[in-house]
Amino acid sequence: MKVSVVKETAPGERRVALVPEAVTKLRAADLEVLVESGAGDGAWLTDDSYADTGASIVSHSEALAADVILMVGKPDAQTVAALRAGQVIIGLFAPLTDPELTAQLAATGVTAISMDMIPRTLPRSQPMDALSSQANIAGYKAALIAATEYVRFFPLLVTAAGTARPAKVLVLGTGVAGLQAIGTARRLGAVVSAYDVRPETRTEAESVGATFIELTSVGPASGEGGYARALTDAERLAQQQELAGHIARHDVVITTAQVPGRRPPLLVTDDALKEMAPGSVLVDMGSSELGGNVAGSLPGQTIVTENGVTIVGAAGLPSSMPTAASAMYARNVSSLLLYLIKDGALALDRDDELQAGVIVTSDGKIVHPALTEERAASVSGPAR
Ligand code: NAD
């Protein structure tokens, strides 16, 4: 069976779906691995390094003709047009927020497997959890960006030229990325507070060194599968207002809040921004085309408000550490692929809970149970 890696096409995307070590693992399972020439360039992985592990270096069209095509992000229109029925394509396709691409993939007749749909609480899915691996990288990088943008020190410094107090950092959203951001900011010497709408995250946040903030105006909002549920309009307003006081007392705010399949909740409003001191920094990891956790944040852009507050729209952070991110993603995707293979051939089985979770399209249809019309419609819903 031929498994290929294509060169990513999204602007700024530097990751690659397999690194040479992962090729070795797949070859040991008797898979033929094809790597599009230049696929690893962005992550400093040369064609030769892949060839040394037994991969064949091929053209774009040869890579697109494989039985299984691996990628990190979404396929572009040209790639979709080249797909044929019966192929399997694996990547991060965000089907909950991109129903159009999902429909296009279904129409080609491919089996589309989306790494971001893996049921994350199953013990056997842990090595395949690309959302966690990439969120870890993003959280780490967000803290570094915050430290770089902040015009004072993160740690307490006592020098002959004076004493610098440690920065006060607030992390909003303490999932995988938030916990990594807390740990990184702590290691840089900041004093870190954290808040999440799921109270069960308190002990995790405390274990990596944060003081957990509890809001009195909003109750717990844990949803299904370890995620948060969307807040009601009243809860959202109460949360925004109470958070504003906490935000104003911090020098740096890192936001990571997400609700699956919905646009990111707005946690830092224009009014809250106005209360922040000049020189404060926000790094919005929720920043996306759909809107972010911080009012006015723009993905990939850094803006400074009239009152001197810097807002970094931190989109695409894993791609800014492409070698580490590719190594982790490669482990995720190769673990999933090996899980799907029996005796050298794909053995897809949608009665298996893990597989049912990741298979999005099959035999010309959208087959994932979560992809109902109501769910897709909620993406553009008004609640923020
Ligand atoms: P995520 O990226 O979906 O969201 C990030 C955080 O934002 C979450 O903690 C969420 O509660 C929070 N959030 C959402 N709306 C909010 C709001 N209005 N205000 C404040 N915070 C808000 O989450 P994630 O990092 O992907 O992880 C989700 C959960 O899944 C975590 O609890 C994680 O531990 C869990 N998880 C479990 C496993 C496992 O069981 N092995 C694996 C991976 C993740």
Side-chain angles (χ1 to χ4, degrees):
M1 194 171 72
K2 289 185 180 175
V3 176
S4 72
V5 177
V6 287
K7 189 170 169 61
E8 297 296 313
T9 52
E13 179 55 79
R14 295 181 56 185
R15 292 172 292 176
V16 58
L18 288 183
V19 297
E21 291 79 4
V23 173
T24 307
K25 246 206 269 174
L26 296 184
R27 297 250 311 137
D30 283 336
L31 299 175
E32 189 179 341
V33 181
L34 315 177
V35 176
E36 179 179 342
S37 179
D41 286 357
W44 308 116
L45 298 166
T46 61
D47 285 355
D48 283 350
S49 67
Y50 287 100
D52 287 347
T53 59
S56 307
I57 308 303
V58 299
S59 67
H60 183 60
S61 55
E62 283 172 294
L64 285 179
D67 304 301
V68 179
I69 303 167
L70 307 179
M71 55 186 64
V72 180
K74 299 174 184 178
D76 64 3
Q78 254 180 325
T79 303
V80 174
L83 297 174
R84 57 180 163 73
Q87 283 181 301
V88 173
I89 176 171
I90 308 181
L92 290 162
F93 303 141
L96 291 174
T97 50
D98 195 346
E100 204 178 319
L101 172 65
T102 313
Q104 287 167 1
L105 290 173
T108 64
V110 297
T111 300
I113 294 181
S114 198
M115 296 290 293
D116 42 353
M117 298 296 280
I118 284 203
R120 298 167 76 190
T121 49
L122 297 177
R124 64 185 184 282
S125 73
Q126 299 312 303
M128 311 166 196
D129 184 354
L131 285 184
S132 286
S133 73
Q134 304 303 296
N136 257 312
I137 292 168
Y140 168 79
K141 194 65 190 275
L144 296 187
I145 290 172
T148 308
E149 288 292 332
Y150 186 50
V151 292
R152 297 169 193 256
F153 291 105
F154 261 33
L156 166 73
L157 277 194
V158 182
T159 77
T163 299
R165 67 163 175 82
K168 284 186 268 175
V169 173
L170 173 62
V171 175
L172 298 176
T174 52
V176 179
L179 292 173
Q180 188 59 254
I182 294 170
T184 307
R186 283 281 297 154
R187 285 192 290 275
L188 288 172
V191 173
V192 185
S193 305
Y195 162 73
D196 197 289
V197 80
R198 292 181 302 122
E200 62 269 29
T201 63
R202 177 187 198 117
T203 48
E204 290 168 354
E206 288 175 345
S207 73
V208 287
T211 302
F212 197 78
I213 292 174
E214 251 177 57
L215 299 191
T216 52
S217 62
V218 195
S222 306
E224 287 166 24
Y227 292 104
R229 65 166 170 81
L231 301 183
T232 64
D233 284 356
E235 285 174 323
R236 178 174 47 85
L237 285 175
Q239 184 191 56
Q240 289 168 349
Q241 277 167 11
E242 193 174 349
L243 271 181
H246 293 287
I247 290 163
R249 284 192 286 280
H250 286 84
D251 307 303
V252 170
V253 180
I254 300 171
T255 64
T256 78
Q258 299 281 350
V259 177
R262 297 199 174 229
R263 41 191 209 180
L266 182 67
L267 303 181
V268 185
T269 60
D270 274 324
D271 286 346
L273 287 172
K274 285 186 190 130
E275 297 303 314
M276 294 184 81
S280 305
V281 172
L282 296 109
V283 176
D284 183 4
M285 282 185 49
S287 188
S288 75
E289 303 302 335
L290 300 169
N293 294 146
V294 179
S297 82
L298 296 169
Q301 292 189 39
T302 298
I303 53 177
V304 181
T305 65
E306 275 177 18
N307 61 324
V309 173
T310 299
I311 305 172
V312 182
L317 292 184
S319 184
S320 71
M321 291 184 53
T323 312
S326 301
M328 287 183 160
Y329 183 82
R331 168 137 201 267
N332 301 141
V333 80
S334 53
S335 300
L336 175 63
L337 186 56
L338 292 174
Y339 178 79
L340 299 175
I341 287 171
K342 303 274 173 294
D343 302 325
L346 275 171
L348 298 183
D349 172 12
R350 283 197 283 118
D351 289 333
D352 173 62
E353 186 181 357
L354 193 154
Q355 297 199 38
V358 286
I359 297 177
V360 175
T361 72
S362 177
D363 296 324
K365 293 189 292 288
I366 296 174
V367 293
H368 198 287
L371 298 171
T372 61
E373 272 177 36
E374 302 88 78
R375 194 69 182 245
S378 70
V379 173
S380 53
R384 292 202 61 204

